[in-house]
Structure formats: C-alpha cells, structure tokens
Amino acid sequence: MDPALSRLLRQLPAVAELLRHPRLAADLAALPRSLSVAVIRDHLEVQRQRFAAAPIETLPGEFDLDGFLTEVAQALQAAALPSLRRVINATGVIIHTNLGRSPLAAEALEQIVEVAAHYSTLEYDLVKGERGSRHDHLEGLLQELTGCEAALVLNNNAGAVLLALNSLAQGREVIISRGQLIEIGGSFRMPEIMAASGAFMKEVGTTNKTHLRDYENAITSETAALLKVHPSNFRIIGFTHEVESPELVALARRYGLLALEDLGSGCLLDLSRYGWEREPTVQESLAAGLDLVLFSGDKLLGGPQAGLALGSREVVARLRQNPLTRALRPDKMTLAGLEATLRLYLDEPRALEAIPTLRMLTRPLADLERQARYLTRAMKRRWGTKIKVEVRPSEARVGGGSLPGAVLPSRALALELPPLASHELEARLRQIQPPIIARLEHGALLLDLRTIRPEEHRALLAALGRVIETVPTPTGLSG
Ligand SMILES: *Cc1c(COP(=O)(O)O)cnc(C)c1O
C-alpha cells in the first residue's frame, strides 16, 4: 500500500472516539446508540473507500478531521429525520400525487387525532350497545351531500374500482370506450385492473370517437356492465365524441346491464361557478342514473386517501358482501378525517375556506400578488442582494388527474442565488429542512405561490435561510 494512503487511513478516528467527540454530542444524543454506531461505521467506510479510490497524487497530506466531523454530524442529523416527512410544495401542482395529494383541513386533523388517540365507535353501536359496522359512519352524510341511495368507503379508488368490477362482473364482460382506457400514475391501468378483477374487458370505438352504437353492437349475453372512465390526466381534443352518461344509462337499462363510472377525482362542488371549466360532479353522475360512481377521497374532495363507491342500494350491497371489502376496508383515521372533511361540505363557503385543496384552487390572483410582495420584501430584508428575487406570472395546475387541461393563473418567485446555478439551487432546496420542492422552467428556479399557504411562510423563509447561509457571498457583490 502506498505510504501516503496508509498514513491517512491510520489517521481516521476510531468509532469509540467519534462516539465521545464533543462536536457530535448533541447530534448523538438525538439518536439511539445502535443507529449512531451504524451511521459512524458507514461514514468511516465511505471515507476509506474514497481514499482508496483516489489517485495517489490527489491524496491530502493530512486527514481533514474537521470536514469529516461536519459530514458525520450531517449524516447523524439526517438519520434522526423520519423518511416520510413534510415538504413545502412550491411546484404549483395542487393535487401532487408524489407529494401526498391533499393536505387536510384542520377540522379533519383534529378528528383524526381524537379518534386515533382514544378508543372509538369504529365498530360499536352506542344505542344498541353491541357491534356496529365501520361502513355505517359516512353513509348518511354522503346521502345528504350527493343524493346517493347507498355508499361504501374503501381504502382508495383503485381498490374501489377493483372491488366493483370483481363484485359485479367477475367472469363476464365489461364494455369500455377506447378513448377511456387510461393509465394513471403508480401503474393503475384500466386493462390491468380489469384483468385482476376477473372481468373481461371489451373495448369499443376509437381513441377519439366512441358512439352509442359502438357500445350497443358489443353487447352480448356475456355483458355485465358498461363502464365509463373519466379521462382524468389527459384530454383528447379536436374531432372527438364520447357518449354522455344519460344515454349510456338508458342503453344499459334497455339491456338489463349496469352502468358504472370511475370519476377519478370526484368533485362535489360545481367549480364552473369559480371560473373553472366544468368538471363533472358526483351529484350529476348519480342524477344521470349511474348504478355506481367511484372516486378518490384525496383528490378534488380534499380529504384523506380513500375510495368512495356511491350508488344504488342493491349494487352497493353486492360490493359490501364481497370478501374483498374486508381486504380493502378503510382504517379509523381515514374514516375520521373523511367524515370531518365531508361535514365541511354541508356549508359550501366553509368548505372553500377550510379545505386546503379547494382554497388553493379558488384563491384569487390578487391574493397571490400580495403574497409575492410580502415574501419578496421579507427576503430582501433578510438577505439583501445575496439573493435575487423576481415576481413572475406563472401557470399552476390542479394535478392528481383533475381538470387536465386546466391552467391556473398564478404568481411565482424566480430565485437566483449566485454562484449556484438554478439546478444546483433546486437540489439544495430539496436537501434542507423542511425540503422545498421547486420548479425549474426554462432555466429559472420558480417557487409557485399557489401551493404555498401563508401559514408556511415561516418555515419557507427559515429553510431558505439555511441554504443561503451555506453559500459564500460572491466577491464584489456583498450586501
Ligand atoms: C386517481 C384515479 C384512480 C385511482 O384512485 P386512487 O384513489 O389513487 O386509488 C382511478 N381512476 C381514475 C380515473 C383516477 O383519476
């Protein structure tokens, strides 16, 4: 071995020495000893390999203990953080599936804590003093809000679709338009879900046009249902045709078939009143006579992850009796959060105010402009010319398979922090606490304000401050 290398390796501190090092004391105290030892061992090994891999002439004369301690301290701090943790969503995508979709309303959080911290009526009937069903808690509320006859809440919408197809069409055919054979993120593909459910998919029509006669011509004695799927994450524009729900329902009735709809996002409010393009509502689908309507709890609804199956008493009863329902049942925290969220919908203005997803969707541009001015001033005051901030018009998105064509006018802060390039700044922002997930657009780093709520300002500024502190002031630009 090269003498320079063996000398450096001998200078590496021992595990026990690092475990006693005063510079690491605070970070070590935050971790169980076994975890600290593992982090330190890993780091020593990484350092050994770095030395071994480096060309001899690039090796330092002395081991940089100080730099090494800084790295170990950072690794210990990182190990103390949970893997699943909050981030600041500055992407402008409101229902961001990778970032946890809908943040919950305070009312929902309170109810989750109340139910999760104590025993509850999850499966207990207080009047009779005997066993009740977890599936009964939300049905009355959903009837009230949507006019459905019956409702069942599952763990998520993918599960609800699987359960519906399995309960209603196993071993039989389900007819679906080619224009609606969707794949959404996380490998939910309609043909695959259909196969997993045991139903046989029969595609009709073409990508851009499907007519009522296409469905009708495909009906055989094996057909169980007609399925409509809301093409939630794309839009076919131009020369197109899809069959409207009332016509599809009439056809299904004529042949004694079921008409089902996977609405995807599942909106309970008429968003066109707030300047949005029309997104079909759950109420409209039910009023059109669909036997079963399925949608997510954590998309436009703004609640916890869940799958809602609403429809006729008879059809929902068939779902309930399926043993798969036991495998797909929601937990008590989901039910608590969903009930509290749905209760907010009883008063529409309150829902718009209290449910973060709806609030972000409907915030007026003037609000975002005010927010932009406030944050710009706060940054200038704190960091002077070290950071360049510029307010820019931006386009936010709904995301999560809702209103795919819709672009929301928004405002963004374009940040520059010399000497970092935009992509370097983007990466740094992801690595602080709390991480800030920004957007890179045409080489600029943008923080879109539509998804940053005022109550996050403090955390945002504190996190930004941590990045700025680590960047040396470029010479001649000190401020
Ligand atoms: C999002 C979506 C699903 C899946 O819902 P999850 O709640 O994520 O399981 C199914 N179908 C459509 C059309 C969707 O948009």
Side-chain angles (χ1 to χ4, degrees):
M1 191 188 291
D2 181 86
L5 176 59
S6 63
R7 184 178 138 78
L8 279 172
L9 291 178
R10 272 198 316 274
Q11 286 181 355
L12 283 180
V15 175
E17 202 180 314
L18 290 168
L19 284 170
R20 284 191 310 264
H21 204 286
R23 261 203 44 204
L24 300 177
D27 296 319
L28 287 167
L31 282 184
R33 193 183 157 84
S34 58
L35 195 48
S36 301
V37 171
V39 169
I40 288 174
R41 284 220 171 100
D42 278 357
H43 246 71
L44 284 167
E45 187 50 36
V46 167
Q47 189 61 61
R48 271 185 214 108
Q49 282 171 11
R50 247 189 248 156
F51 284 151
I56 299 296
E57 65 278 10
T58 65
L59 286 174
E62 291 293 322
F63 174 59
D64 172 16
L65 181 64
D66 221 47
F68 183 73
L69 286 172
T70 305
E71 271 181 32
V72 173
Q74 280 167 357
L76 290 170
Q77 285 157 22
L81 291 172
S83 170
L84 175 57
R85 55 196 145 111
R86 77 171 279 194
V87 301
I88 293 175
N89 174 9
T91 64
V93 179
I94 297 177
I95 306 170
H96 198 308
T97 295
N98 303 147
L99 303 183
R101 291 195 183 157
S102 288
L104 297 181
E107 288 80 351
L109 297 173
E110 254 168 54
Q111 198 51 25
I112 289 171
V113 169
E114 174 82 3
V115 163
H118 303 96
Y119 292 107
S120 67
T121 57
L122 182 62
E123 292 187 348
Y124 189 76
D125 185 324
L126 289 173
V127 177
K128 296 189 189 136
E130 57 190 45
R131 185 189 173 131
S133 167
R134 73 175 66 214
H135 295 303
D136 290 341
H137 294 293
L138 272 65
E139 194 169 48
L141 194 51
L142 285 164
Q143 286 165 341
E144 168 84 25
L145 287 169
T146 68
C148 69
E149 268 181 35
L152 182 64
V153 176
L154 289 314
N155 185 48
N156 59 17
N157 190 35
V161 174
L162 176 74
L163 176 69
L165 293 171
N166 180 263
S167 311
L168 307 172
Q170 190 179 25
R172 301 189 59 201
E173 289 173 0
V174 175
I175 303 177
I176 180 171
S177 160
R178 288 201 169 88
Q180 301 176 354
L181 280 177
I182 61 156
E183 166 173 330
I184 57 166
S187 72
F188 176 94
R189 292 176 133 194
M190 199 37 95
E192 285 161 20
I193 293 282
M194 193 82 80
S197 77
F200 299 106
M201 185 173 78
K202 201 155 175 185
E203 308 162 38
V204 297
T206 60
T207 306
N208 58 328
K209 283 204 173 209
T210 302
H211 301 280
L212 195 63
R213 62 174 182 276
D214 295 324
Y215 286 95
E216 186 160 13
N217 291 341
I219 295 173
T220 69
S221 59
E222 291 307 303
T223 310
L226 310 180
L227 173 65
K228 210 178 145 142
V229 180
H230 187 51
S232 42
N233 50 4
F234 69 98
R235 183 138 298 176
I236 297 173
I237 51 169
F239 188 60
T240 66
H241 185 76
E242 285 290 353
V243 176
E244 297 296 325
S245 297
E247 302 170 75
L248 199 71
V249 168
L251 181 67
R253 294 271 186 283
R254 203 146 19 97
Y255 286 89
L257 307 173
L258 294 171
L260 319 174
E261 182 168 26
D262 174 9
L263 261 179
S265 201
C267 186
L268 292 181
L269 300 179
D270 177 3
L271 290 175
S272 63
R273 261 183 281 155
Y274 305 96
W276 288 97
E277 68 185 277
R278 286 202 47 70
E279 173 87 357
T281 65
V282 172
Q283 293 90 323
E284 281 164 10
S285 292
L286 289 164
L290 282 148
D291 297 286
L292 194 67
V293 176
L294 308 156
F295 56 97
S296 286
D298 55 353
K299 292 184 180 172
L300 277 176
L301 191 74
Q305 176 191 304
L308 289 87
L310 274 50
S312 74
R313 204 172 303 288
E314 189 250 322
V315 167
V316 173
R318 285 170 68 187
L319 264 57
R320 269 207 197 203
Q321 284 151 16
N322 189 329
L324 263 183
T325 298
R326 175 64 179 78
L328 297 167
R329 72 182 187 182
D331 82 327
K332 60 191 176 186
M333 291 181 276
T334 300
L335 290 170
L338 190 57
E339 180 174 8
T341 305
L342 289 170
R343 274 177 187 275
L344 292 168
Y345 276 93
L346 293 169
D347 178 357
E348 186 170 317
R350 177 124 185 265
L352 287 168
E353 187 66 24
I355 297 173
T357 299
L358 295 178
R359 176 115 202 229
M360 289 187 264
L361 257 172
T362 55
R363 275 179 78 194
L365 206 49
D367 244 33
L368 301 180
E369 278 166 355
R370 242 192 321 276
Q371 186 179 9
R373 283 195 298 273
Y374 168 81
L375 283 172
T376 306
R377 264 200 311 272
M379 290 180 195
K380 293 243 151 89
R381 204 166 43 235
R382 273 160 223 243
W383 305 303
T385 54
K386 206 167 173 190
I387 188 167
K388 268 177 71 182
V389 193
E390 189 189 301
V391 182
R392 293 211 190 151
S394 164
E395 290 183 342
R397 310 221 162 244
V398 184
S402 326
L403 303 156
V407 168
L408 299 92
S410 185
R411 289 289 177 267
L413 300 181
L415 298 190
E416 281 180 51
L417 186 59
L420 297 182
S422 297
H423 69 275
E424 290 168 328
L425 179 55
E426 187 269 343
R428 294 273 186 107
L429 291 176
R430 272 189 274 121
Q431 282 145 27
I432 37 164
Q433 256 312 94
I436 300 172
I437 315 299
R439 196 165 88 217
L440 283 172
E441 207 171 273
H442 309 302
L445 180 122
L446 302 180
L447 304 182
D448 194 308
L449 298 178
R450 192 165 280 280
T451 47
I452 300 175
R453 289 171 289 156
E455 55 267 37
E456 295 176 294
H457 283 174
R458 271 176 64 146
L460 175 84
L461 291 168
L464 267 178
R466 273 172 228 125
V467 170
I468 290 168
E469 280 159 22
T470 63
V471 175
T473 308
T475 43
L477 263 178
S478 63

